[in-house]
Amino acid sequence: MSWIREGELTILERFCANIIKAGPMPKHVAFIMDGNRRYAQKCHVERQQGHSQGFDKLAQTLRWCLNLGIREVTVYAFSIENFKRSKEEVDGLMDLARQKFSRLLEEQCFLNVCFAYTSRHEISNAVREMAWGVEQGLLEPSDVSESLLDKCLYTNNSPDPDLLIRTSGEVRLSDFLLWQTSHSCLVFQSVLWPEYSFWNLCEAILRFQMNYNALQKARDSYMEERRRQQMERDQAYVTKKLQQEGFASHGDSWRRRTLLQKCTAMREERIQGFLQALEHKRADFFERLCTVSA
Ligand code: FPP
Ligand code: MG
């Protein structure tokens, strides 16, 4: 029997889900599932038991998300920092991951698991990839932009999360999706992760809905500003080209427009070529990694 699909909502939960679904819904929700060890301590059980129940809570939360029509979920399962925990705990978490994640991922394609992850590592890796692109002659230095960095992140195939939830009362992001959550609704809840309930999730979604207009406005104006900056960079590039060709910087407007269109098309072409090369480079890396660990 499926792990996620088994178990439906109660009548009351379904009723409330329908009310909530009448408002704007987050399409992508990210979770920092915190508080497993405090839960274990509170219940006088082994630490590993706390993590195991935390995992079961993840399966249950995914089911609620499906019922609420949330199509994508990203979880912080293991930070690079977590390697500093005792060997016993790290081994226990790895065992749990081996046993349970493969089964969970078989069932669902809407779950992104961030494992041995930190956001600063992801961002600096993306910067290094762009520097590599310039070094290889695939990119011009002026192609480097926020929008290109977006495309170099591990999350490039996903929209940014609309809502990020952290449990256990900690009010910080702990190096999770720092770049991707600049326009997300951040909700910090005091409940320990293994005790997370459908009602906690509803409360977080209500908070998202209350802030929806402001978030949308901020996101739109950011995208507008990004387009304006790109246009400014393209104009500066064209001015430089015209000057190099001996034309006055304003040039004639037809020539300027044609050159601008050409430059934009060439930039797009360079970026596509770079992204393809990057995909191959990453595929090679994973292939080598699998060969080494096999
Ligand atoms: C935070 O609680 C939780 C983790 C470090 C692991 C989170 C992962 C899951 C719940 C899912 C299962 C994960 C794996 C890897 C199979 P904590 O340990 O920081 O607890 P505390 O905040 O009470 O100390
Ligand atoms: Mg913690």
Side-chain angles (χ1 to χ4, degrees):
M1 165 138 13
S2 163
W3 220 357
I4 295 178
R5 285 172 209 277
E6 71 198 23
E8 285 297 324
L9 298 182
T10 64
I11 291 179
L12 182 61
E13 285 169 346
R14 244 194 342 261
F15 176 72
C16 292
N18 284 335
I19 294 176
I20 285 186
K21 281 189 329 194
M25 287 297 286
K27 294 181 185 65
H28 180 184
V29 180
F31 289 95
I32 303 180
M33 309 171 288
D34 200 12
N36 292 351
R37 295 184 299 186
R38 274 168 280 170
Y39 171 80
Q41 204 169 24
K42 184 174 143 187
C43 300
H44 309 288
V45 294
E46 292 286 315
R47 195 185 278 165
Q48 181 70 355
Q49 183 62 23
H51 288 312
S52 179
Q53 294 209 24
F55 185 88
D56 292 342
K57 185 55 68 177
L58 170 59
Q60 196 178 19
T61 304
L62 290 175
R63 194 187 312 142
W64 297 329
C65 287
L66 266 184
N67 276 301
L68 287 164
I70 295 165
R71 303 312 312 170
E72 185 155 3
V73 172
T74 299
V75 294
Y76 204 6
F78 194 85
S79 144
I80 294 176
E81 287 296 303
N82 290 150
F83 281 114
K84 293 181 186 153
R85 295 188 178 188
S86 71
K87 182 173 178 327
E88 186 200 356
E89 187 178 353
V90 172
D91 288 350
L93 277 165
M94 294 296 162
D95 276 350
L96 206 57
R98 264 191 291 273
Q99 285 166 30
K100 306 213 175 189
F101 270 128
S102 47
R103 183 166 168 202
L104 200 56
L105 292 171
E106 263 165 35
E107 290 184 26
Q108 287 303 315
C109 57
F110 79 125
L111 174 65
N112 308 309
V113 179
C114 299
F115 205 86
Y117 169 90
T118 61
S119 189
R120 279 180 291 190
H121 182 269
E122 179 190 29
I123 295 167
S124 52
N125 189 53
V127 172
R128 264 194 306 277
E129 305 279 33
M130 291 190 292
W132 171 81
V134 174
E135 202 178 79
Q136 297 291 309
L138 298 166
L139 292 175
E140 292 278 340
S142 61
D143 295 336
V144 173
S145 65
E146 290 184 18
S147 131
L148 182 58
L149 198 143
D150 271 347
K151 296 186 179 102
C152 296
L153 296 174
Y154 308 136
T155 51
N156 64 75
N157 286 322
S158 296
D160 288 342
D162 304 294
L163 169 63
L164 180 142
I165 298 169
R166 179 171 190 154
T167 57
S168 91
E170 302 293 338
V171 188
R172 58 201 156 90
L173 291 179
S174 298
D175 220 340
F176 183 52
L177 302 180
L178 301 180
W179 182 275
Q180 297 87 338
T181 53
S182 54
H183 298 104
S184 308
C185 177
L186 308 183
V187 174
F188 298 96
Q189 297 178 297
S190 57
V191 57
L192 302 174
W193 175 251
E195 293 178 325
Y196 204 67
S197 72
F198 176 77
W199 305 111
N200 293 130
L201 180 60
C202 289
E203 187 220 338
I205 295 173
L206 280 176
R207 288 213 237 158
F208 162 80
Q209 292 181 335
M210 286 186 316
N211 288 287
Y212 179 76
N213 288 339
L215 290 165
Q216 209 51 34
K217 210 168 144 195
R219 213 176 261 200
D220 289 349
S221 85
Y222 166 72
M223 289 312 287
E224 187 52 44
E225 176 59 16
R226 198 149 114 168
R227 269 193 293 275
R228 196 193 60 73
Q229 283 180 11
Q230 185 61 61
M231 181 52 82
E232 224 171 71
R233 274 197 299 276
D234 287 348
Q235 293 280 10
Y237 185 81
V238 168
T239 302
K240 202 169 118 197
K241 276 259 173 239
L242 284 171
Q243 278 169 351
Q244 280 167 355
E245 289 173 17
F247 292 91
S249 67
H250 47 275
D252 75 77
S253 69
W254 176 83
R255 188 171 180 80
R256 195 178 173 83
R257 220 177 25 250
T258 316
L259 200 53
L260 190 62
Q261 277 169 359
K262 202 168 133 198
C263 289
T264 310
M266 279 166 65
R267 173 170 44 78
E268 274 311 308
E269 209 174 299
R270 278 194 304 276
I271 287 177
Q272 285 317 315
F274 161 69
L275 292 173
Q276 269 172 19
L278 189 57
E279 218 174 285
H280 287 136
K281 185 169 169 262
R282 285 181 175 171
D284 282 353
F285 172 79
F286 279 116
E287 211 176 291
R288 267 183 284 124
L289 196 69
C290 294
T291 320
V292 170
S293 53

